[in-house]
Amino acid sequence: GEIIHGYWRIKSDQNLLSTATGAGGSTLDFNIPRETLAPFIRDFAARTGISIGGMDIAFPSEGGPPVVFEVSPIFDLNPEPPSEWSGRPYKEYKQTDDFMQRRAEVYTQCAAKIIDFALK
């Protein structure tokens, strides 16, 4: 298995429970440790039989394994914004033409990887 897309959702208030990227002025950080996460993701996929999907996970502040909140075979791909959007609410970026263009590019890349996976 391979992690083909991911990000940390950074909330302006940790008491906000919504997982939506537009809620509460959250920002996204696309620099995730894919190699560190890969064993957990591969094990989860093997145990559940879910080979393609999107998942919301969190890491307890006191340590321990990740907590999986949601897994879905249907998921959206939020593209990484240009660097000038770093630290700004992602909800605002989603209103730009650049978002729409980058989203289409990410969809194309993801679709190609899913097709390659399915043909193997």
Side-chain angles (χ1 to χ4, degrees):
E2 177 186 2
I3 300 171
I4 61 172
H5 187 72
Y7 52 84
W8 301 123
R9 183 177 298 113
I10 303 164
K11 299 188 171 283
S12 58
D13 179 351
Q14 67 182 14
N15 293 316
L16 295 172
L17 298 178
S18 172
T19 59
T21 56
S26 64
T27 60
L28 303 183
D29 178 356
F30 289 82
N31 295 311
I32 64 169
R34 292 175 191 235
E35 296 79 24
T36 302
L37 295 171
F40 173 78
I41 300 300
R42 285 188 189 108
D43 180 60
F44 186 89
R47 288 186 289 121
T48 62
I50 299 171
S51 56
I52 297 175
M55 60 191 316
D56 285 336
I57 61 176
F59 295 84
S61 59
E62 63 277 357
V67 176
V68 177
F69 291 110
E70 176 184 15
V71 179
S72 178
I74 300 170
F75 52 91
D76 201 354
L77 297 168
N78 288 307
E80 184 171 1
S83 59
E84 61 264 22
W85 280 90
S86 178
R88 293 173 61 185
Y90 197 78
K91 181 178 182 178
E92 294 174 14
Y93 176 63
K94 289 177 97 170
Q95 306 305 312
T96 69
D97 290 337
D98 187 69
F99 168 82
M100 296 305 288
Q101 179 182 343
R102 287 176 184 247
R103 186 182 194 198
E105 292 167 2
V106 170
Y107 278 173
T108 301
Q109 294 165 3
C110 181
K113 289 188 179 227
I114 290 172
I115 291 168
D116 286 346
F117 173 79
L119 293 175
K120 291 181 181 177

